[in-house]
Amino acid sequence: QEAKNAALRYSHEIEAKNTELVRLNQEKNEFLGIAAHDLKNPLSAILGLAELITTDFDGLLKEEVIDYANGIAISAKQMFDLIVNLLDVNRIESGKFNISLQLTDLSLILQPILKGYQERATVKQLQLHYPLLTAPYLAMIDPNITRQVLDNLISNAIKYADISKPNPF
């Protein structure tokens, strides 16, 4: 009887461990999906700007090439920052994720993002408007997290915009 009880107890423990493993695997898959999505946006900008340089190099002014190269560098830095954050999952899971709040001009974060999506918006016959870009718009934010959130919002807005429906605004 004692052996039977021990076997039953171990069977329940194994079942609980398997359930926990399934849950952790689902969380891992969700995490990887978010990471892939977040990395796709700056990578698309890099590829788009590089393609503009290579396909129209002779027709571009030196300043335009420099501007596109700067856009590539900004997107590459965003990817680097995102990867650093993604690799530090233990810090997030342990509740030690530090948000670095700084008084930041949102327009300085938003301008390069909008510029990076301008071509994609134009292809979908969309116009990007943000009236606050003409003056500083200061807020206490974590610039990296805010950049990532705004990038995702703008990317999704363009990707899922249905231009066949009239604009309700």
Side-chain angles (χ1 to χ4, degrees):
Q1 181 64 27
E2 194 174 311
K4 201 177 200 181
N5 287 342
L8 188 58
R9 188 175 63 245
Y10 290 133
S11 175
H12 288 302
E13 285 178 23
I14 290 171
E15 187 176 319
K17 295 290 183 189
N18 281 339
T19 301
E20 177 68 6
L21 285 173
V22 167
R23 184 187 66 76
L24 289 172
N25 191 47
Q26 288 171 337
E27 285 182 14
K28 175 206 59 145
N29 289 342
E30 184 178 323
F31 174 78
L32 290 174
I34 291 168
H37 179 269
D38 288 352
L39 287 169
K40 224 164 66 171
N41 293 337
L43 186 57
S44 292
I46 290 170
L47 291 171
L49 291 169
E51 186 177 328
L52 283 172
I53 292 171
T54 56
T55 58
D56 197 26
F57 184 77
D58 291 331
L60 295 174
L61 299 172
K62 180 181 177 182
E63 293 78 22
E64 290 175 311
V65 174
I66 292 170
D67 195 37
Y68 292 159
N70 284 333
I72 291 170
I74 288 168
S75 293
K77 179 164 181 356
Q78 287 173 354
M79 288 181 71
F80 179 82
D81 291 343
L82 183 60
I83 290 169
V84 167
N85 287 337
L86 292 174
L87 292 176
D88 210 357
V89 174
N90 289 333
R91 197 174 64 159
I92 295 169
E93 288 179 345
S94 67
K96 296 178 182 173
F97 183 70
N98 295 324
I99 295 176
S100 176
L101 295 179
Q102 303 170 21
L103 187 61
T104 306
D105 183 354
L106 276 172
S107 64
L108 295 178
I109 292 176
L110 197 52
Q111 282 175 335
I113 295 172
L114 290 175
K115 195 171 193 176
Y117 285 108
Q118 189 61 54
E119 183 71 26
R120 207 180 306 175
T122 302
V123 166
K124 286 196 75 175
Q125 300 172 344
L126 299 171
Q127 292 181 345
L128 301 177
H129 294 283
Y130 186 70
L132 296 176
L133 290 180
T134 57
Y137 189 76
L138 300 176
M140 286 297 288
I141 58 171
D142 182 309
N144 291 328
I145 293 171
T146 303
R147 182 178 298 107
Q148 186 177 340
V149 168
L150 290 173
D151 190 85
N152 281 334
L153 287 172
I154 293 167
S155 171
N156 287 339
I158 293 169
K159 184 188 300 181
Y160 298 110
D162 186 353
I163 60 170
S164 66
K165 294 182 180 177
N167 188 342
F169 300 106

